[in-house]
Amino acid sequence: MKKYILDLKVKQVEWLNEKYALIRLTHSETLPEMIPGQFVEVRADHTASTFLRRPISINFVDREANELWLLVAVVGDGTRHITAVSEGDTLNCVLPLGNGFTMPADAGERVLLVGGGVGVAPLLYMGAEMKRRGMEPTFLLGARKAQDLLELELFERYGRVLVTTEDGSAGEKGFVTNHSVLHERFDRIATCGPKPMMMAVARYARQAQVDCEVSLENMMACGVGACLCCVEKTTQGNLCVCKEGPVFNVRRLTWEL
């Protein structure tokens, strides 16, 4: 898939809470084709401490409005500068990068999309694409507390939404792998979030004999497999997550489940 370096115009910045900002970007020309699970590399301007671009998952693509949405967690100086933009500013982005989730071929498949923290971001676009193709996924979204749950009303447009919180302030108390929905039978699982969460989901999928894809969040500095910062050990040797992933079938990984 062809890659582009574009100056995208900031259409809106919406702070979902004190840590997460939803940035809506547009361009004078039609945005390139993008698939769920891919990401963009965003340049952090006006900072002397950030030299490398920051990898941000594609949260949503609104074709009618010609918008790309990025859900950005402020975790350091780079993301702090990226989220400091205002309407009318530009963000320089390399896109689309990486390989995305496998779209179910059978509309009758029961698909579970599991996200935690900012890892929920790529699952919104995945759910939207499934809905567009006549499918309805089940979303299982986890957070520490109710205030950390993101974009719930948007997720509800595309499927059944279930939540867990560690403190029990919303949904079922505990981790996503404690949720009662896991007593149901699913044909496919896709997950993104903290590695311990994804490993727990992958362990459940193996025990349930369900196909499972995970979106890894290794440090991806270049986005094209040149810098080797994001290497992951796999059954095929060491692979660059930014180029061969970030989405992998868990069978390709060497995780001890």
Side-chain angles (χ1 to χ4, degrees):
M1 185 176 288
K2 185 177 180 180
K3 300 172 179 60
Y4 301 81
I5 302 177
L6 300 176
D7 285 320
L8 299 181
K9 183 177 180 181
V10 177
K11 197 169 181 179
Q12 184 184 47
V13 180
E14 177 185 359
W15 284 92
L16 304 185
N17 57 34
E18 68 279 359
K19 183 180 179 180
Y20 296 97
L22 176 61
I23 304 176
R24 302 186 186 194
L25 302 167
T26 190
H27 195 258
S28 57
E29 299 182 10
T30 302
L31 290 169
E33 187 66 29
M34 291 169 268
I35 61 176
Q38 289 185 308
F39 67 100
V40 306
E41 288 275 0
V42 184
R43 192 176 69 200
D45 294 325
H46 313 300
T47 168
S49 62
T50 305
F51 302 99
L52 301 173
R53 292 175 181 265
R54 293 297 184 260
I56 308 293
S57 294
I58 294 170
N59 179 220
F60 190 74
V61 178
D62 187 332
R63 287 292 170 195
E64 291 187 4
N66 198 40
E67 290 180 359
L68 165 65
W69 298 8
L70 301 179
L71 181 60
V72 185
V74 179
V75 294
D77 202 44
T79 48
R80 188 174 298 111
H81 277 82
I82 289 171
T83 56
V85 293
S86 302
E87 181 180 339
D89 290 343
T90 60
L91 283 176
N92 186 269
C93 300
V94 183
L95 74 160
L97 296 171
N99 297 300
F101 292 108
T102 301
M103 192 64 61
D106 184 353
E109 281 191 50
R110 300 196 67 207
V111 180
L112 180 65
L113 305 180
V114 185
V118 75
V120 304
L123 303 182
L124 181 66
Y125 188 30
M126 176 68 168
E129 282 296 290
M130 289 182 62
K131 186 75 170 181
R132 186 176 66 85
R133 301 182 187 202
M135 311 174 200
E136 186 166 332
T138 295
F139 298 102
L140 178 55
L141 311 176
R144 291 184 178 179
K145 56 185 184 299
Q147 295 90 326
D148 296 330
L149 292 166
L150 305 171
E151 302 184 313
L152 289 185
E153 292 184 0
L154 295 173
F155 279 104
E156 288 170 353
R157 297 179 184 178
Y158 306 114
R160 177 173 58 150
V161 177
L162 305 168
V163 302
T164 66
T165 49
E166 294 179 29
D167 66 358
S169 54
E172 296 188 14
K173 185 176 182 179
F175 302 114
V176 289
T177 47
N178 303 133
H179 199 283
S180 58
V181 75
L182 298 183
H183 295 300
E184 299 180 16
R185 175 68 188 177
F186 292 93
D187 301 305
R188 183 188 299 268
I189 298 174
T191 183
C192 183
K195 186 174 180 179
M197 184 209 78
M198 291 194 294
M199 292 185 71
V201 172
R203 190 177 302 115
Y204 160 80
R206 186 188 67 178
Q207 294 170 350
Q209 297 183 319
V210 179
D211 198 51
C212 180
E213 289 185 332
V214 298
S215 180
L216 301 186
E217 296 184 323
N218 298 29
M219 177 58 72
M220 296 180 283
C222 72
V224 293
C227 69
L228 306 181
C229 288
C230 63
V231 167
E232 178 78 16
K233 187 177 180 181
T234 75
T235 58
Q236 298 168 298
N238 292 333
L239 297 178
C240 290
V241 169
C242 67
K243 186 176 180 181
E244 304 296 333
V247 176
F248 289 87
N249 191 295
V250 73
R251 292 193 303 270
R252 296 181 65 191
L253 303 178
T254 58
W255 290 354
E256 294 182 4
L257 301 177

